[in-house]
Amino acid sequence: IADLVSQRRGKRVAPNSVYRILDLFVATNLARRVESANAYIANSHPGCLHDCIFLICDSCGTATHIDDDTLTMHVRTAAERAGFAEVRPVIEVRGICADCG
């Protein structure tokens, strides 16, 4: 991303500047971070606050964000029972997407 932005702007943009902006996008719910891939995807519905469930294709690398509040509530409850506070479930499911299958 830093290289592409640098080329378009005609001057160097530092990678740490890109990460700061991405962190801001995540904090304002405009983007989601796919933890296992160290990647980001745009949030298609930034007005909603849901926990992250990503379906990641091992063939093409596509990451799809889905919402299942019942599932993530069970994860939150189990974590809280184990003594965790400030639980933020991030669930990543790896497999093969319908297009690649």
Side-chain angles (χ1 to χ4, degrees):
I1 294 173
D3 290 339
L4 290 172
V5 173
S6 295
Q7 289 173 2
R8 289 196 178 161
R9 293 191 67 203
K11 64 180 185 177
R12 186 178 179 281
V13 174
N16 61 346
S17 296
V18 173
Y19 280 110
R20 276 197 298 271
I21 293 167
L22 287 170
D23 288 342
L24 176 65
F25 287 171
V26 169
T28 57
N29 210 29
L30 294 173
R32 300 284 187 148
R33 184 165 187 267
V34 182
E35 306 279 340
S36 66
N38 193 26
Y40 297 83
I41 63 172
N43 187 354
S44 60
H45 45 89
C48 296
L49 297 176
H50 295 280
D51 295 314
C52 295
I53 301 173
F54 291 111
L55 306 177
I56 304 165
C57 180
D58 287 328
S59 181
C60 68
T62 299
T64 304
H65 175 244
I66 61 170
D67 296 319
D68 186 332
D69 291 335
T70 302
L71 175 63
T72 55
M73 185 52 66
H74 285 297
V75 172
R76 282 178 177 277
T77 300
E80 288 166 1
R81 284 188 191 139
F84 276 78
E86 302 295 323
V87 176
R88 181 184 60 92
V90 177
I91 301 168
E92 298 182 8
V93 179
R94 302 207 59 115
I96 304 297
C97 72
D99 291 339
C100 293

